[in-house]
């Protein structure tokens, strides 16, 4: 097959090299899954570009100690390959980062996907040519390729926010971003380490650092609801049982609110007559571990004020029992938002960590970090912390960031950057009017929760849409603006009564983009649950891809019914 040559000197850049039916940006869960769909199921010629030196995306970049899934292993996987599902042996309930990475690599090897992926190459731009019905994709090596379809599989959380602390570059010690953790070993032994951020990343890395660091200072602006993960190794019997339940697990995931294979509670807060009964319901869910606390407690916890308050108090009580120092315990109790306003992290002995003598929680809610200094860090109140290492776990420009990091230009030169920063809207999470033949694998307003389930459903839909086009002789597919607006309105209606919207803006919840300075908060996910979403998708397909318009441009470059472009050896330009 044709491969892209080494980068050219800048004077000779912008060389058009080859064409494909589809170009994919990104080679993690979404990129690999859609590459398989298009190449192996549809027989298209496909090229994927990946910024990392291997597959994995999030699991490639976020290789910080303690990184592991918050989804149970049996659902955090490539569902599409049943045989592989039945062979792969997960070691724990929540597998560590190297294991997830190994899983993805193995999938790529099994299906020979590597040969279609160019690594260390970032898609910089994509420009739609309406007259010819093609996308021109430009990489950071200055190479241009053309394709009929452009698929953004760039992930949800691949663009970390710029740490906003003045003086960061003056720091003389070691400084790491969890989202760009180095490949070399990092030791904390005997060091004074600061962790800034108490989202899922900070909550995972802090207890690992605490084990060996001389001192750990955890800088907390907003206390989070950290749910006990209750991780355990999977024994032989459990593993074997799970391996043969792929269909059942997948079917459950496609029904559950966030795409997890678990039964949602049907107990409403009002169903319980006494506080004792209420605590019993919550205790059971707390002991079950992980996100089960969200879904197996009160079904109306997200919208019922009383249920949310009771749940908040319940968690406060748990924190007070777990953390010995009463002052620290009170600081850890979230008071400015109810559970569900932010994405709760899962803790692996997180609260217990504060009972160690070498760990200090630093409250920076009213006393912000003023500056990073050469020797450490200074708060607005003048307190100085001497440090050997700073770990930044300060979050991402979720959903929107990965898409606007590329210069994508659609019809009449409209930029995706302008479009999405004005409104983080898509149709079904996968398409945007004005950007024909472009699919987003995890675009804003795709279903949240367990992303492997989401991308499996979306890859299947993309495959079916392209097959539909080929069967009808269409060349161009585009979301209809009215359909997009209706879908967006539905997403808003579902979120507005919820705690996520009511409290989430104030506590900068990334689930609604409220953590990005200058960005108007908006729901970044479909929160209607998987069952409703898959029903919607079925309806879209059954009604001939309702909400999409199809057309043929004046001239079309490379038709699907001809031989694959690569077979024609069509090097253009
Ligand atoms: O980021 P976050 P994350 N001064 O945005 C703080 C996924 N994930 O990387 O809350 C001081 O949640 C900020 O404070 P505040 C998962 O979906 C998954 O931890 O804004 N603090 C907050 O505490 C997750 O939800 C997994 O007051 C500042 C933290 O930084 C998502 O990634 C593992 C600050 C950012 O928390 C994001 O998690 C890890 C400032 N100027 C991540 N700016 C697994 O599945 C920011 N903060 C295992």
């Amino acid at each position: 097959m044709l491969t892209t040559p080494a980068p050219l000197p800048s004077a000779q850049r912008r060389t058009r090299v080859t064409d494909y039916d589809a170009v994919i940006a990104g080679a993690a869960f979404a990129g690999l899954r859609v590459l398989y769909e298009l190449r192996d199921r549809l027989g298209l010629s496909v090229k994927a570009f990946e910024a990392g030196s291997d597959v994995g995306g999030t699991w490639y970049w976020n290789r910080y100690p303690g990184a592991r899934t918050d989804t149970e292993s049996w659902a955090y996987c490539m569902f599409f390959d049943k045989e592989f599902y039945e062979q792969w042996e997960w070691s724990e309930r929540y597998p560590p980062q190297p294991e997830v990475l190994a899983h993805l690599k193995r999938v790529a090897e099994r299906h020979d996907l590597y040969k279609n992926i160019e690594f260390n190459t970032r898609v910089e731009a994509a420009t739609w040519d309406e007259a010819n019905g093609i996308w021109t994709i430009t990489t950071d090596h200055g190479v241009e390729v053309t394709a009929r379809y452009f698929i953004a599989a760039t992930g949800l959380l691949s663009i970390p926010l710029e740490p906003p602390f003045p003086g960061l570059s003056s720091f003389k010690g070691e400084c790491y971003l969890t989202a760009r953790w180095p490949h070399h070993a990092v030791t904390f032994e005997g060091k004074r380490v600061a962790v800034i951020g108490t989202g899922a990343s900070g909550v995972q890395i802090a207890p690992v650092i605490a084990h060996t660091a001389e001192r750990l200072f955890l800088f907390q602006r907003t206390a989070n609801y950290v749910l006990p993960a209750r991780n355990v190794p999977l024994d032989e019997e459990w593993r074997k049982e799970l391996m043969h339940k792929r269909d059942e697990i997948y079917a459950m995931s496609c029904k559950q609110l966030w795409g997890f294979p678990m039964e949602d509670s049907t107990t409403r807060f009002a169903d319980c007559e006494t506080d004792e009964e209420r605590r019993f319901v919550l205790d059971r869910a707390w002991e079950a571990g992980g996100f089960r606390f969200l879904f197996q407690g009160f079904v109306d916890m997200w919208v019922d004020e009383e249920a949310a308050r009771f749940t908040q108090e319940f968690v406060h009580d748990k924190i007070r029992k777990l953390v010995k120092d009463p002052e620290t315990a009170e600081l850890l109790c979230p008071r400015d938002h109810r559970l569900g306003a932010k994405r709760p992290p899962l803790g692996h002995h997180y609260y217990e960590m504060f009972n160690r003598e070498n760990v200090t929680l630093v409250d920076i809610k009213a006393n912000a970090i003023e500056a990073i200094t050469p020797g450490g860090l200074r708060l607005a109140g003048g307190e100085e912390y001497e440090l050997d290492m700073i770990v930044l776990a300060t979050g991402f420009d979720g959903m929107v960031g990965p898409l606007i990091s590329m210069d994508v230009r659609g019809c009449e030169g409209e930029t995706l950057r302008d479009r999405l920063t004005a409104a983080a809207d898509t149709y079904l999470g996968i398409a945007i009017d004005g950007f024909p033949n472009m699919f987003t694998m995890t675009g804003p307003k795709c279903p949240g929760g367990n992303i492997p389930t989401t991308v499996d459903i979306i890859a299947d839909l993309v495959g079916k849409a392209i097959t539909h086009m080929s069967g009808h002789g269409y060349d161009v597919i585009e979301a209809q603006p009215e359909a997009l607006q209706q879908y967006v309105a539905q997403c808003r209606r579902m979120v507005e009564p919820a705690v996520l919207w009511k409290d989430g803006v104030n506590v900068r919840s990334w689930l609604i983009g409220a953590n990005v300075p200058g960005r108007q908060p908006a729901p970044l996910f479909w929160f209607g649950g998987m069952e409703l979403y898959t029903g919607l998708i079925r309806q879209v397909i059954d009604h001939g891809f309702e909400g999409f318009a199809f057309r043929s441009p004046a001239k079309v470059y490379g038709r699907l019914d001809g031989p694959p472009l690569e077979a024609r050896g069509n090097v253009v330009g």
Side-chain angles (χ1 to χ4, degrees):
M1 72 172 273
L2 293 170
T3 52
T4 313
L8 296 169
S10 56
Q12 293 169 45
R13 278 177 160 210
R14 314 198 67 75
T15 310
R16 185 181 271 196
V17 176
T18 188
D19 287 336
Y20 301 91
D21 290 332
V23 163
I24 301 171
F29 265 102
L32 296 176
R33 175 64 185 84
V34 75
L35 170 55
Y36 172 80
E37 186 73 25
L38 300 188
R39 193 198 65 180
D40 295 27
R41 290 198 173 144
L42 270 64
L44 303 187
S45 67
V46 188
K47 179 83 176 177
F49 294 108
E50 165 56 50
S53 65
D54 206 336
V55 300
T58 282
W59 300 101
Y60 171 92
W61 297 104
N62 292 258
R63 51 182 70 224
Y64 57 84
R68 58 176 68 245
T69 70
D70 278 353
T71 301
E72 288 156 336
S73 50
W74 48 93
Y76 203 78
C77 55
M78 283 293 200
F79 280 115
F80 77 91
D81 182 346
K82 188 172 175 183
E83 190 182 275
F84 177 55
Y85 188 98
E86 290 174 350
Q87 288 170 6
W88 186 261
E89 300 199 356
W90 292 108
S91 64
E92 296 174 65
R93 180 175 176 184
Y94 306 98
Q97 171 268 337
E99 209 171 310
V100 183
L101 199 55
H103 179 83
L104 290 171
K105 284 183 181 188
R106 192 69 201 101
V107 167
E109 282 161 8
R110 260 175 76 81
H111 296 281
D112 208 7
L113 299 177
Y114 274 103
K115 71 176 185 201
N116 293 66
I117 308 169
E118 193 158 317
F119 292 101
N120 301 307
T121 307
R122 192 176 279 281
V123 169
E124 243 178 21
T127 306
W128 173 247
D129 169 357
E130 176 66 27
N132 294 301
I134 60 169
W135 281 97
T136 298
I137 291 101
T138 312
T139 73
D140 60 352
H141 296 305
V143 169
E144 285 183 354
V145 294
T146 55
R148 287 195 56 198
Y149 300 101
F150 174 49
I151 321 263
T154 37
L156 295 70
L157 295 160
S158 49
I159 303 292
L161 288 172
E162 197 63 37
F165 309 110
L168 193 57
S169 59
S170 73
F171 184 57
K172 296 268 187 284
E174 297 165 76
C175 182
Y176 304 106
L177 200 58
T178 47
R180 292 288 180 269
W181 200 260
H183 287 230
H184 63 77
V186 174
T187 60
F188 310 107
E189 218 166 315
K191 293 178 186 163
R192 295 159 303 174
V193 183
V195 171
I196 305 175
T198 51
S201 307
V203 163
Q204 282 192 335
I205 196 171
V208 180
I209 295 176
H211 270 292
T212 52
E214 182 190 309
R215 290 294 304 273
L216 168 65
F217 299 99
L218 183 54
F219 290 84
Q220 170 188 281
R221 186 166 65 181
T222 306
N224 234 326
Y225 292 86
V226 181
L227 310 176
R230 309 222 182 282
N231 191 26
V232 282
L234 299 182
D235 64 23
E236 194 58 22
E237 202 181 327
W238 193 357
R239 247 198 323 253
K240 286 272 169 316
E241 190 190 328
L242 288 167
M243 283 159 76
H244 298 293
K245 284 193 167 170
R246 181 260 174 217
D247 292 350
E248 203 178 308
I249 288 169
Y250 185 65
M252 265 181 120
S253 305
C254 290
K255 278 187 168 178
Q256 202 271 338
L257 262 177
W258 279 20
F260 300 119
M262 55 179 80
E263 296 286 351
D264 287 317
S265 166
T266 52
T267 309
R268 285 171 303 137
F269 187 69
D271 294 339
C272 301
E273 284 176 8
T274 63
D275 281 358
E276 201 185 346
E277 275 179 47
R278 294 183 182 113
R279 269 193 290 274
F280 178 79
V281 170
L282 291 181
D283 251 324
R284 211 177 32 192
W286 184 264
E287 290 312 316
F291 292 136
R292 287 170 192 270
F293 186 67
L294 300 179
F295 302 108
Q296 299 185 335
F298 298 117
V299 62
D300 50 358
M301 182 197 77
W302 314 93
V303 287
D304 182 289
E305 300 276 331
E306 265 193 276
R309 282 280 163 227
F310 191 88
T311 308
Q312 183 175 24
E313 281 305 319
F314 174 91
V315 178
H316 288 184
D317 285 347
K318 290 288 180 196
I319 295 171
R320 289 183 190 116
K321 284 194 185 106
L322 291 167
V323 179
K324 287 185 189 147
D325 174 44
E327 214 175 301
T328 304
E330 290 313 310
L331 278 179
L332 287 166
C333 290
R335 290 173 211 289
D336 47 10
H337 65 288
R338 289 160 291 174
L339 178 60
K342 277 173 165 293
R343 191 286 214 174
L346 299 197
H348 299 261
H349 310 293
Y350 176 73
Y351 289 123
E352 292 85 340
M353 168 188 78
F354 294 98
N355 297 330
R356 296 178 68 106
E357 289 199 343
N358 65 336
V359 177
T360 307
L361 180 68
V362 185
D363 178 21
I364 52 169
K365 192 174 174 61
N367 188 15
I369 295 170
E370 186 181 71
I372 309 290
T373 61
L377 174 164
R378 187 175 62 248
L379 301 186
E383 299 87 338
E384 300 259 1
Y385 291 84
E386 288 194 5
L387 302 167
D388 302 302
M389 185 191 291
I390 297 176
V391 173
L392 299 153
T394 39
F396 299 86
D397 182 351
M399 313 299 283
V400 172
L403 294 171
I404 65 171
S405 70
M406 302 177 287
D407 182 13
V408 179
R409 289 168 192 262
C411 297
E412 294 167 18
E414 183 185 14
T415 69
L416 193 62
R417 200 166 282 153
D418 287 348
R419 181 66 173 270
L420 290 182
T421 48
D425 296 339
T426 64
Y427 180 46
L428 304 170
I430 67 166
I432 303 161
D433 59 283
F435 296 85
N437 285 10
M438 174 178 175
F439 297 105
T440 52
M441 291 298 296
T442 49
K445 297 186 170 53
C446 74
N450 189 22
I451 293 306
T453 314
T454 294
V455 300
D456 199 73
I457 294 166
I458 290 180
D460 182 71
L461 179 68
V462 169
K464 288 196 167 100
I466 294 177
T467 305
H468 178 83
M469 291 172 71
S470 138
H472 290 77
Y474 299 133
D475 300 303
V476 178
I477 178 172
E478 186 178 348
Q480 291 179 308
E482 305 76 27
L484 182 145
Q485 288 310 330
Q486 270 174 26
Y487 178 75
V488 166
Q490 201 175 352
C491 289
R492 277 195 164 272
R493 274 197 304 277
M494 288 180 309
V495 168
E496 277 167 2
V499 164
L500 170 61
W501 191 250
K502 289 181 174 167
D503 292 4
V505 176
N506 284 341
V507 288
R508 298 169 290 272
S509 177
W510 81 259
L511 299 178
I512 50 173
N515 63 329
V516 181
R519 187 83 51 77
Q520 189 64 24
L524 292 185
F525 292 98
W526 160 272
F527 287 106
M530 275 299 181
E531 191 162 22
L532 219 56
Y533 183 79
T534 48
L536 196 59
I537 296 291
R538 254 195 316 277
Q539 183 186 317
V540 166
I541 295 171
D542 291 349
H543 294 185
F545 286 84
E546 196 174 44
F548 289 97
F550 296 93
R551 65 175 184 276
S552 294
K555 186 177 135 204
V556 173
Y557 186 82
R559 297 181 62 92
L560 271 183
D561 46 11
L565 292 172
E566 281 174 27
R568 284 181 256 147
N570 46 336
V571 176
V572 291

